[in-house]
Amino acid sequence: MTKILVIHGPNLNLLGSREPEVYGSDTLASIDQALVKLAEQHSVSLETFQSNIEGEIVNRIHQASANQNNFVIINPAAFTHTSVAIRDAFLATDLPFIEVHLSNVFSREEFRAHSYLSDIAKGVICGFGKNSYLLAFEAAIIACNTSNSKE
Ligand code: DQA
């Protein structure tokens, strides 16, 4: 069975009350619930993980690789713009991933336009709020099915 891991970075536990004019009113729990529903529809295994701590995210990527996860969807949040460690974890494990953002990072402050992950991601989806995750999930399933059919 295809195994997908969704990682939520720092401050995303506060979604719903955090700057709703930027991030919308959906809570993290409601995003995870919508992902669970999609996973059931597609018969794929889904795990979700949120942390405010960079090292915990690095460890979770290592664990996902050891546990033969097929794909990661990650909203690295502020670590997008700072974390060589998360970049290196993906390079070290060679896990395919999609980078997602709720907001359109390119229409905000200049520092948000730079990502340490985008160039090594399979793709990047941003600007669609909760739907950024759902679109990424559909894309991950297509990517997994395509790579399985090549085996
Ligand atoms: C974010 C965008 C980042 O710049 C920011 O630091 C976040 C959330 C987004 O989902 O739009 O925490 O990743």
Side-chain angles (χ1 to χ4, degrees):
M1 189 188 240
T2 299
K3 285 163 90 170
I4 297 178
L5 170 67
V6 177
I7 299 177
H8 307 284
N11 300 306
L12 296 174
N13 53 311
L14 300 180
L15 285 180
S17 61
R18 176 191 180 198
E19 299 179 82
E21 66 290 356
V22 178
Y23 298 116
S25 56
D26 292 304
T27 61
L28 193 61
S30 80
I31 291 172
D32 283 348
Q33 264 165 30
L35 289 169
V36 166
K37 211 168 146 188
L38 263 188
E40 283 169 4
Q41 281 165 11
H42 289 279
S43 303
V44 302
S45 153
L46 166 71
E47 282 186 301
T48 65
F49 175 75
Q50 190 276 330
S51 179
N52 296 320
I53 299 166
E54 187 178 19
E56 286 185 358
I57 294 175
V58 169
N59 285 342
R60 194 66 189 79
I61 293 166
H62 294 176
Q63 193 190 327
S65 172
N67 293 347
Q68 333 254 270
N69 270 256
N70 302 88
F71 214 94
V72 175
I73 292 165
I74 183 167
N75 182 347
F79 293 146
T80 309
H81 320 298
T82 62
S83 184
V84 177
I86 294 175
R87 176 187 179 87
D88 282 350
F90 280 116
L91 288 174
T93 58
D94 211 20
L95 262 176
F97 70 97
I98 295 174
E99 175 185 336
V100 307
H101 301 283
L102 296 143
S103 65
N104 180 352
V105 285
F106 300 103
S107 68
R108 302 181 61 195
E109 302 98 314
E110 214 179 307
F111 72 85
R112 292 187 204 275
H114 177 259
S115 165
Y116 276 97
L117 297 174
S118 299
D119 65 306
I120 59 164
K122 289 281 171 206
V124 182
I125 299 175
C126 74
F128 299 100
K130 177 185 187 169
N131 287 328
S132 291
Y133 285 94
L134 305 184
L135 291 166
F137 201 83
E138 298 281 1
I141 286 167
I142 292 169
C144 289
N145 288 344
T146 311
S147 68
N148 287 344
S149 68
K150 278 187 199 146
E151 281 167 11

